[in-house]
Amino acid sequence: MRALLAHLGDPQRAYPSIHVVGSVGKGTAVRTIEELLRRERLRVGAYLSPHVRGWSERIRVDGREADFEAAIGRVRPHAEGATQFEVLTAAALVEFAAAGVDVAVVEAGLGGRLDATNVVDAPVVLVTNVSLEHTDVLGDTPEQIAKEKLAVAHAARVVVLPDNNFARLVPPSARIVLGGAREAAEAFLEREVDGDVQVSLPGRFERRGEDVWDGAHTPVAVEWLLERLPRRDYVLCVSILRDKDVDGILRGLSEAGRTLVATQSTNPRALPAGELAARAAPHFDRVEAVDDAVAALARAHQVGGAVLVTGSLYLLADLSKRE
C-alpha cells in the first residue's frame, strides 16, 4: 500500500485525517463527522465501506459522491498486484488530494494495524466500539482486537474511546477523550461544535415505509438496532455469513419478531438458507427458507406486516442491485 501511494505522490500527506476504527457503527460515525465539519465550512473527504447501492458510495467529497470511475482511473495504471481494497483506498486518498480537501475522514476496513487505511498519520482517531469479530484475523479476545484497532493511533494526538475499557492501550503520546463522532470532530477542531446533524447511509437503519433495512452482522450491532426499532413484530428476512456469531445474532434478532425467512446473499461465505433456517428454528416461532434473496423478501411481505431485512450488508447490496 505504501509503495502504491509512493507511485501516486503520497496523496495522504496533502491533508490531515480523522481515522475511524471499530467493530460496528464506523460508517455512521464517518458521515456524522463529515457533516459536523462541513457545517464548520470545511471541505471534507469521506471514505466508507462497504457499499450497498453502488461503488460510488465509498468516496465522498464536499458532501457528494465523487466521480468514482475518475478516481479509480488515477490509480489503475499503478495498481498491478494490489488488492481491490487497496485500490479503492488509494483512489479515495488521491481523490481527496485532487479535490483539495481540508480534512479526510477515513473508515478502516478490517481491524487497523494491517488495514490498507493504516497509511494515514491521523491526528485524531475514533474507536466506535470493540467486540469479538474476525477472530481468525484480529485475535480471540476483545483486548487483542482493541490492540489491532488502536495500532492506527501511531501519530494521534487525540484518541476518542466509547469507554475506559482499553484506555491503557492508547499510545502515551495521545490524550484520552471519551465519546463518539462529535467528540472526534471537536478534537480535530480543538473547540466545541453546536447543534446536531442527521445523517443517513444505505443499509444502516434505512427506513422504507414500515420496513427497516440494516446490515447488523454482530450481536453488538443487533443490540444497537433493537434499541432503535419502533416495534417488536417484524417479519425478518435474514442472511448471515458463516464466519459470524450466527447464534448470537439470531438470539438477538428474535426480540424483533417471531417469524424469520432465511435466505443467502451471493457472498460465498453466506450460510445456505436451509442451514440458516435450521439454526434459527430454536429462536423463532416460525422459520422458512428461501434461497433467492428477492424471493425471500417477497415471501416475508406475503406473511404480512412490517419487514426487517438484516444480518448482512451483502444481502442488502444484492437486493438493491435487483430493485
Side-chain angles (χ1 to χ4, degrees), residues 18-22 29-30 33 124-128 158-161 179-181 184:
I18 299 173
H19 209 159
V20 179
V21 299
V30 168
I33 296 169
V124 177
V125 169
L126 168 63
V127 181
T128 59
V158 178
V159 175
V160 182
L161 298 171

Side-chain angles (χ1 to χ4, degrees), residues 130 135 138-149 166 169:
V130 175
T135 53
L138 300 181
D140 297 326
T141 68
E143 178 153 340
Q144 289 174 334
I145 293 172
K147 284 182 179 178
E148 290 289 314
K149 296 182 185 303
F166 302 108
L169 302 178

Side-chain angles (χ1 to χ4, degrees), residues 97-304:
V101 302
D102 299 308
V103 57
V105 191
V106 178
E107 175 181 352
L110 173 62
R113 180 174 63 91
L114 299 178
D115 191 71
T117 63
N118 194 21
V119 291
V120 298
D121 296 325
V124 177
V125 169
L126 168 63
V127 181
T128 59
N129 47 60
V130 175
S131 62
L132 290 176
E133 52 152 354
H134 301 291
T135 53
D136 57 325
V137 177
L138 300 181
D140 297 326
T141 68
E143 178 153 340
Q144 289 174 334
I145 293 172
K147 284 182 179 178
E148 290 289 314
K149 296 182 185 303
L150 280 165
V152 305
H154 50 82
R157 56 176 172 78
V158 178
V159 175
V160 182
L161 298 171
D163 51 50
N164 274 318
N165 288 345
F166 302 108
R168 63 191 178 280
L169 302 178
V170 172
S173 57
R175 65 185 176 93
I176 300 162
V177 173
L178 297 185
R182 171 178 293 278
E183 288 72 22
E186 292 177 339
F188 178 79
L189 294 169
E190 298 184 322
R191 57 180 168 81
E192 294 184 357
V193 295
D194 296 324
D196 294 319
V197 294
Q198 298 295 322
V199 300
S200 61
L201 285 85
R204 282 80 159 183
F205 203 76
E206 182 179 353
R207 305 291 289 269
R208 296 187 170 213
E210 288 190 317
D211 294 356
V212 174
W213 288 27
D214 186 89
H217 56 279
T218 69
V220 171
V222 171
E223 288 178 15
W224 183 94
L225 174 60
L226 290 171
E227 290 172 359
R228 289 156 179 79
L229 287 176
R231 55 199 297 171
R232 289 291 187 269
D233 60 350
Y234 288 93
V235 177
L236 285 77
C237 179
V238 177
S239 174
I240 302 175
L241 301 184
R242 65 171 64 255
D243 56 358
K244 302 299 181 183
D245 181 358
V246 178
D247 295 317
I249 294 169
L250 291 170
R251 190 179 306 113
L253 289 177
S254 67
E255 297 184 29
R258 302 305 304 158
T259 299
L260 181 141
V261 179
T263 189
Q264 60 199 68
S265 71
T266 54
N267 188 293
R269 288 154 46 214
L271 277 175
E275 185 176 342
L276 178 59
R279 295 180 68 168
H283 303 287
F284 293 85
D285 297 333
R286 177 179 179 182
V287 175
E288 299 182 21
V290 180
D291 292 342
D292 180 78
V294 172
L297 179 57
R299 176 57 186 153
H301 281 123
Q302 288 173 359
V303 173

Side-chain angles (χ1 to χ4, degrees), residues 52-116:
V52 173
R53 293 177 180 162
W55 290 96
S56 59
E57 293 170 24
R58 293 178 178 239
I59 305 175
R60 296 171 56 85
V61 172
D62 204 21
R64 296 181 297 274
E65 293 177 0
D67 184 331
F68 182 79
E69 290 303 323
I72 294 295
R74 294 189 185 98
V75 174
R76 190 174 287 122
H78 308 279
E80 183 178 354
T83 67
Q84 182 185 76
F85 189 68
E86 288 168 344
V87 172
L88 291 166
T89 303
L93 299 177
V94 172
E95 177 67 22
F96 299 155
V101 302
D102 299 308
V103 57
V105 191
V106 178
E107 175 181 352
L110 173 62
R113 180 174 63 91
L114 299 178
D115 191 71

